[in-house]
Amino acid sequence: EDQVTQSPEALRLQEGESSSLNCSYTVSGLRGLFWYRQDPGKGPEFLFTLYSAGEEKEKERLKATLTKKESFLHITAPKPEDSATYLCAVRSTGANSKLTFGKGITLSVRP
Amino acid sequence: EAGVTQFPSHSVIEKGQTVTLRCDPISGHDNLYWYRRVMGKEIKFLLHFVKESKQDESGMPNNRFLAERTGGTYSTLKVQPAELEDSGVYFCASSRQTGTGNSPLHFGNGTRLTVT
């Protein structure tokens, strides 16, 4: 059974203080790892897809990386508007295409 | 393009009543998914439609839940009769059909269901 564990559960940063969010996963075969951002009262918003170990993707202050066991979401010089819950999900190889999610990491960035 | 739309945004019902949730996916998206987040837990898969056909319903908790997607457009998820443990946020998501089967899911804002 696919499993996703995210850590820490919550993270409080000062504006400009860079950090990383961790996503550890277990799948029989990885078809894709997805990062989403979720704001209160909203649905998850797609950020990145990573397909293979060593791959990196960037968007503004965010950079996602992937190894065979985990993924990191690096946040460089965060701003208060980066405050949100960040979700990691995996899709395994096989016939179905469902995503398995972690519980998410709640990030708060203080001005 | 318009996003995934869910209705209602909130629903409060009593135990034993029936509730129907609706989802309108992004136009042209053949894949439609239902997920649920119970308080304190992760978002969990319920089922997957490809057009009007159920591709995978392994996540449906029991036979009190019935999902339909007539005509391959919008979908409904009915809970009958509702129980207290059905409370949570129900998300709908859609995606394009691609050769790799690896397109990202686009989510609606969810329906918050409270059963009292």
Side-chain angles (χ1 to χ4, degrees), chain A residues 63-80:
Chain A
K63 182 168 83 172
T65 61
L66 181 66
T67 72
K68 288 187 177 180
K69 293 184 178 180
E70 57 192 350
S71 176
F72 291 94
L73 185 65
H74 307 278
I75 303 178
T76 302
K79 298 182 177 182

Side-chain angles (χ1 to χ4, degrees), chain A residues 1 5-6 15 25 29 32 34 36 79 101-102 106:
Chain A
E1 184 178 328
T5 303
Q6 293 188 250
E15 183 172 3
Y25 65 91
F34 300 80
Y36 284 84
K79 298 182 177 182
F101 281 86
T106 301

